[in-house]
Every structure is written in structure tokens, then in C-alpha cells.
Amino acid sequence: MPSLRGLVVRSQSGFYTVNTETGLWMCRLRGRLKRGPRLGDIVSVGDWVRLTPLEYQTGIIDEIEPRVRALSRLAPDPRGEYHQVILANPDQTVYVFSCSQPEPRFGLLDRFLVISERQGIPALIVANKIDLVGNKKAKSLFGHYPMLGYPVVYTSALTGKGVQELCTRLVGKISVCAGPSGAGKSSLLNAILPGFDLSALRVSRATGKGRHSTVVREMFPLPGGGYVADTPGLKALALWDIAAEELDGYFPELRPLVSQCQFNNCTHSQEPGCAVRAAVEQGRVHPQRYRSYLRMRFGEEE
Ligand code: GDP
Ligand code: ZN
């Protein structure tokens, strides 16, 4: 039988579930792929691979295609920096926050958005629990994000409002979701994904420890095509691999202002002739975003 091309949708203890035109194949890695120095996982969920079919829908992965992009982190390791892929080839990051209960933590959202910018992955914001605050209040909370390039979908997992729009945004893509607990991420995924097992996810979260707890082990197929993955570990993505002087470059609204500051090493805090501060004062930069920038710049925990 000729080799097959497919997408890794699940990984568990050295077994990879690969989705191909002829269904799901349970695969192991060809031995030679495991040799040599390791700078990270050899295969990740989201990778495209070629496999040699064996009997009973099992196979051997012979080849991993180069990744277009990856959501990754540099994990400190005794052997040096370990390039840990959380998910290969994501099309977008999806950040779920609630409008209320709990109150949205914009500092955390902005931190997530910096990670997306840094990794070159488009970001979508989901503002959930609009049933608790109404449309107007929800827009006053999240309305400044679309003009920065981050679309916002307003949803209620409780009433179903906006869930269809969210599906439309997800279909045909590989999306990776993150958000603070209690925001309603599981409720939304339950509404969207048939067979999504919330309880199993909770168990794996509770037992997930160590280096691999942040890595995506499974992505779930959407009815109309595409996949959604969940990661509990994005918070663990430190910003330490972003130099403090580069941070302003990951805020789309600050990026074009930086060159207009009087000093070229301006931190945009106290310096005279700061174009960023001027823009904040004139209402061209949202004060909350500026606050987030300062907290990240000067190392305050979120
Ligand atoms: P997760 O921790 O982000 O996965 O959040 P869950 O999906 O477990 O939801 C946390 C709590 O918020 C649960 O009690 C849900 O029933 C509730 N919840 C989720 N979505 C909504 C919503 O849209 N509106 C309201 N009022 N409650 C919601
Ligand atoms: Zn400045």
C-alpha cells in the first residue's frame, strides 16, 4: 500500500492518531526519526506527516513535513533551551474571557495578545457571558480591540447567542483556545464540538504535570471542518524570551509611534517627548492597553 499523508490530531504515550483521507490511523514513529539530538518534540499535534500503513488502521510515521508555524515556548532544560511545541500549524489563537463573573482581566488578555504577536499567529477574542451584562456594556469592555486587529465575538454559552458566529470564525481552521478558568471556555467548546469530553479534559488537566502539561495532546474536529485545541498552559508562557526593549513592537497601536519618541531608547514611561504618552493623553491609545504595556515592561505579575 502506498504511503498516506495526514494530520496528527492526537498524541499519547508514543502513539499518534493521524487523520487521512482514509480515516484515522494509529501510528508509531519510525525508529530512525527518534535518533539524533533532540531540541524539542519530534512530532506534535497539528503536524502533517506521511505514514506507511500496516494492518488494522495502524501505521508507521516516516516523515514529518516542515511546520508552517508553531505555537511554542522555550522551556528551560538542563541540556539547554528546549523548544517546546505546544501546537503545530495553528491558524489562530482564541482567547475566551467573560464579561463578568469573573471580571475580565485585561492585563492577562493583553499578555496573551503579545504572545500571539510574538509568534505571528492571528488572535480572536471571545467575550462570553454577555447575558450577564448586555451588549452595550460588553462592547464598552472589549470594543477597542477590533481596531487593533483583534476581532471580538460576543457570546453567551448559556443562551447560545453568538455561538453560531463563533463557529463561523473557527470553521476550516486550526484554532487553539486559552483563557482564565471560569470564563466559560469549556461550556463554549461543549456547545460547538460534538463528543467533546469536558470531564476527561478536567482529569487530564489535574494530572498533567511537568514539562509536557502545556502541550496540546489532542485537537477536536469541528462539524464543518477544522479543529479546535485547548491549552491550559498558555499562562505558563513566560515573556522572558521577549526583550524589554522589543515589547512595544508587539503592541500594534504603539509600534508606529515608537520612532516619533524623542529618545530612541524611550521606555514610554517618564521620558520627555514621548509619542506614546502623548497618544495616551490624546485618547489615541486606550489607557488600559497602556497600563498593560507598562506592567509587562516593568515586570509586574499579572
Ligand atoms: P472554563 O473554566 O472557562 O472552562 O468555564 P466553564 O465552562 O466551566 O464555566 C464556568 C461557569 O460559568 C459555569 O458555572 C458555567 O455554567 C458558567 N457559564 C459559562 N458560560 C456562561 C455564559 O455564557 N453565561 C453565564 N451566565 N454563565 C456561563
Ligand atoms: Zn516613548
Side-chain angles (χ1 to χ4, degrees), residues 248 257-278 290 293:
D248 50 20
L257 299 171
V258 171
S259 64
Q260 298 161 36
C261 292
Q262 190 176 326
F263 300 104
N264 65 9
N265 59 350
C266 189
T267 67
H268 322 303
S269 53
Q270 305 292 335
E271 296 88 344
C274 173
V276 169
R277 275 214 344 266
Y290 179 57
Y293 161 79

Side-chain angles (χ1 to χ4, degrees), residues 111-222:
R111 195 170 263 261
F112 283 158
L113 294 171
V114 164
I115 291 167
S116 295
E117 291 285 338
R118 161 79 175 159
Q119 310 228 354
I121 305 168
L124 172 70
I125 297 168
V126 177
N128 190 38
K129 306 199 189 184
I130 46 165
D131 56 285
L132 295 178
V133 298
N135 287 338
K136 220 172 135 202
K137 172 85 194 274
K139 291 231 159 73
S140 77
L141 291 169
F142 291 92
H144 58 292
Y145 284 102
M147 63 186 98
L148 307 178
Y150 310 119
V152 181
V153 182
Y154 296 91
T155 64
S156 168
L158 192 71
T159 68
K161 205 158 178 223
V163 173
Q164 197 47 50
E165 190 194 342
L166 177 57
C167 285
T168 307
R169 291 267 185 188
L170 299 177
V171 94
K173 292 179 178 159
I174 293 180
S175 304
V176 55
C177 290
S181 74
K185 190 174 58 165
S186 312
S187 304
L188 284 170
L189 292 181
N190 268 325
I192 287 169
L193 302 167
F196 176 72
D197 191 346
L198 173 64
S199 56
L201 187 77
R202 284 274 148 83
V203 170
S204 72
R205 268 185 207 179
T207 55
K209 284 200 184 80
R211 187 162 70 191
H212 292 286
S213 61
T214 58
V215 168
V216 169
R217 290 295 172 207
E218 183 167 18
M219 51 186 196
F220 301 90
L222 282 161

Side-chain angles (χ1 to χ4, degrees), residues 227-240:
Y227 291 87
V228 179
D230 177 51
T231 173
L234 256 202
K235 264 201 254 183
L237 269 186
L239 293 175
W240 56 258

